[in-house]
Amino acid sequence: MLERKVADEPEGTLRADGAVIAIRGDIVDARFTTEPPRMREMLEVDQRGVLRTEVASLLDARTVRAIALGPTDGLALGTPVRKTGRSVQTSVGPAVLGRMLNMFGEPIDAKGPLEGVAHWPIHRPPPPLSLRRVGSEIFETGIKAIDVLCPIERGGKAGLFGGAGVGKTVLIAELIHNMSGKYQGISLFCGIGERLREAEEFYRDMTAAGVIENTVMVFGQMNEPPGVRFRVGHAAMTIAEYFRDERNRDVLVLIDNIFRFVQAGAEVSGLLGRIPSRVGYQPTLGNELAELEERICNTASGSMTSIQAIYVPADDFTDPAATHVFAHLSASVVLSRKRAAQGLYPAIDPLASTSKILTPGVASERHYRTAQAVRDVLAEYEELKDIIAMLGLEELSETDRATVAKARRLERFLTQPFFATEQYTGMEGRFVSLDQSLEGCEAILSGDLSGLPESAFYMVGGLDKVLERAES
């Protein structure tokens, strides 16, 4: 009789170390009869299955406050809670390639369970300085506007800044395609607060482009609790560290959107009862962001490069979320709504975008000189726009008209058809090497191509394609 009774009772009831005493949205308080858990330990709550939570604060000698990492619907006071003795973990291993995962490393793509994976904690310290590999090298993306004006550092962090609808996610999809083709590396896409539609479309696009086998996708979706969106970035970093340190692979980590990581942190902070800081953000914003960002670096085993989409609230670059992210970046790619409205894609603002490695010491002297000349011409054109609008192009001096002609051709030359948008535009995507990009910019700056129509420069690859279109 005793054996039958034990078998019929829920497992959690027998192993309970404590019980739920308060529920506030996605925050759960639990009191323990045994020694309480440590900070960041994972707890399991027996709620129609298992609800996983993470200890966020210790209230007294027996009571803890935890962040729910799943829905709390139907959770009741007195529900049994048990300690796990470990922090939240995620799946790592070759089997995660080509799969879509949640923050626990569990597949969400209906392709069956993962085979032969290990489990690593999502909270890991960054590599010590003695193990980091220092050196500046350009990470060639094949996108003209980025490679020429704001080159990305291999092993560095680049931000894609822009408001809603200016092309951040499309640019990330193109970078994944080019990374897989040129570097034969691993691409890891981390969707923080992604819409369900975007996640599904992105998965289909990567499959159609033939790069899914070297890509891992980790999602904390928009409909999930703030605790999941707050921790999914740490889970993605753990998977990236596995491929860098254990498999000696170069890894490209793409995060869309780092602002939603900050936003989730603000939600969690508010639920925990912390006093908000400027503009309502959490007082620990800088520390939480640094804890995630400092894990991105090169080691002797391999490189980890990160490109992060950053939503800028109301296009205000003084917002605390944007300014804190700026401090970690080696390159800033600013996407302009004005250029997107003009049909200049990628809608990269050439004057606002910057890179710390665009110096003669890292980039070549030719690259530095050409990039500065392009910026000078485009800046002069920007100053002349008001005069052109009021008086017309005919009122400009001959020198200024030549500057305008070069600037308009440069603007169009820096556009490019993407592999990621072939099915929508009908234009074949182009990968343009840095040398080809510089060659085209130099030819335009010299004035040798002033006789060609502006349309010949729009949405093409290198200089050879410009000449082909001009002839036709």
Side-chain angles (χ1 to χ4, degrees), residues 279-300:
V279 200
Y281 288 110
Q282 62 271 42
T284 52
L285 170 59
N287 183 60
E288 289 168 359
L289 201 54
E291 188 180 8
L292 184 71
E293 297 279 8
E294 286 304 300
R295 293 171 66 176
I296 302 167
C297 63
N298 290 348
T299 66

Side-chain angles (χ1 to χ4, degrees), residues 10-20 28 30-32 43-47 49-51 75-83:
E11 182 185 351
T13 306
L14 300 177
R15 297 181 48 209
D17 300 307
V20 174
V28 178
R31 182 168 290 136
F32 290 83
L43 308 177
E44 294 180 341
V45 182
D46 283 323
Q47 177 235 350
V50 175
L51 168 65
L75 188 61
L77 298 179
T79 304
V81 180
R82 59 178 174 267
K83 299 182 291 184

Side-chain angles (χ1 to χ4, degrees), residues 18-168:
V20 174
I21 61 168
I23 306 161
R24 282 184 293 276
D26 293 300
I27 296 296
V28 178
D29 291 356
R31 182 168 290 136
F32 290 83
T33 54
T34 60
E35 182 181 350
R38 303 182 304 274
M39 286 289 288
R40 290 188 173 174
E41 183 174 332
M42 188 177 81
L43 308 177
E44 294 180 341
V45 182
D46 283 323
Q47 177 235 350
R48 293 179 303 180
V50 175
L51 168 65
R52 288 167 283 201
T53 66
E54 183 185 78
V55 176
S57 61
L58 308 177
L59 301 181
D60 59 41
R62 295 290 179 195
T63 311
V64 302
R65 181 162 289 166
I67 307 167
L69 302 176
T72 56
D73 300 347
L75 188 61
L77 298 179
T79 304
V81 180
R82 59 178 174 267
K83 299 182 291 184
T84 62
R86 56 179 174 80
S87 63
V88 179
Q89 296 184 338
T90 192
S91 303
V92 298
V96 303
L97 288 172
R99 303 301 298 269
M100 186 188 289
L101 312 172
N102 63 14
M103 69 166 289
F104 302 105
E106 299 164 346
I108 55 174
D109 54 8
K111 285 187 174 180
L114 298 174
E115 302 288 343
V117 293
H119 294 89
W120 283 15
I122 66 170
H123 298 291
R124 296 165 54 82
L129 292 176
S130 59
L131 297 181
R132 297 192 180 211
R133 190 179 69 206
V134 180
S136 296
E137 181 185 348
I138 291 178
F139 178 84
E140 196 171 316
T141 65
I143 299 170
K144 292 179 285 189
I146 292 178
D147 289 343
V148 173
L149 297 173
C150 45
I152 294 170
E153 180 184 9
R154 190 168 188 163
K157 296 178 275 284
L160 301 180
F161 289 86
V166 292
K168 298 185 295 297

Side-chain angles (χ1 to χ4, degrees), residues 29 46 52 58 90 134 160 166 179 189 196-197 238 241-242 257 292 317 333 356 365 385 389 391 406 416:
D29 291 356
D46 283 323
R52 288 167 283 201
L58 308 177
T90 192
V134 180
L160 301 180
V166 292
M179 169 70 171
F189 179 83
L196 293 172
R197 170 185 57 78
T238 299
E241 287 167 346
Y242 166 82
N257 189 300
L292 184 71
F317 284 87
V333 181
K356 293 177 181 176
E365 182 68 38
K385 279 183 179 178
L391 303 176
K406 291 177 186 176
Q416 188 170 339

